[in-house]
Amino acid sequence: MTAALVAGLVAGYGIAVPVGAVATYLVSLTARTSLRTGVCAALGVATADGLYALVATAGGAAVAAVLRPVLTPLRWASALVLLALAARGAVTALSQYRAHRLSTRSAPPPPSAARAFLSLLGITLLNPTTVVYFAALVLGNDADDAVRPLEQGVFVLAAFVASASWQVLVACGGALLGRALTGHRGRLATALLSSAVMTGLAVRMVA
């Protein structure tokens, strides 16, 4: 039981801690909206990690064989999603800056908590890094070594908790960033930097 708990925590933090496109978008989203929205988005990321952890523990080598052929399409789909998000963020920031519509009254309404959760859930499910990571876990499992369902559940729950704790911390950082950058130029710089990072990561995925 303890081994499954430790393995789940290691797996969850292993995929969550490296800062990539998803973390970048999470920080940007929270900075533009609110901590509540950011936390819901963070839980969407953690839910996707938990689902892949469940696949890794329950699917075995058969799931890995299914995942291999779709890694390339998932990589392209993820890159296109990131490019669309980057373009939308940059265009919105520039239009708001030029029109001086960055005040709370004239800003567009933030996404709902449910929409933020579903958006980040979908983005993370398409993230090839997450797919490859948990596919490696599947390939590393010994199909002949039976694992009890209780231990599988502990592993999945631990992976989810680890990922959720880190993603919520990232969202809190985005909220602090949003409070610090209250001026027109600060918000514009944050949005453009986020778009540039996401664009670079998208290009690197398919290069």
Side-chain angles (χ1 to χ4, degrees), residues 135-156:
L137 288 182
V138 170
L139 292 172
N141 286 339
D142 187 354
D144 297 329
D145 187 12
V147 180
R148 291 179 300 174
L150 181 59
E151 293 180 345
Q152 292 179 349
V154 169
F155 175 86
V156 173

Side-chain angles (χ1 to χ4, degrees), residues 164-195:
S165 64
W166 181 261
Q167 301 300 343
V168 169
L169 181 63
V170 171
C172 290
L176 293 175
L177 181 64
R179 290 173 184 173
L181 299 177
T182 56
H184 296 322
R185 293 182 180 179
R187 291 182 180 273
L188 176 64
T190 301
L192 293 180
L193 178 61
S194 173
S195 295

Side-chain angles (χ1 to χ4, degrees), residues 67-103:
L67 288 177
R68 286 193 194 97
V70 299
L71 289 181
T72 297
L74 282 175
R75 184 177 294 110
W76 278 97
S78 180
L80 291 175
V81 169
L82 287 174
L83 287 174
L85 289 171
R88 180 182 178 185
V91 169
T92 300
L94 286 171
S95 64
Q96 289 180 346
Y97 180 76
R98 290 172 181 172
H100 299 287
R101 291 187 290 113
L102 292 173
S103 63

Side-chain angles (χ1 to χ4, degrees), residues 48 58 73 81 91 98 117 123 127 133 157 169 173-174 184 206:
V81 169
V91 169
R98 290 172 181 172
F117 175 88
I123 291 172
N127 186 6
Y133 179 81
L157 181 60
L169 181 63
H184 296 322
V206 297

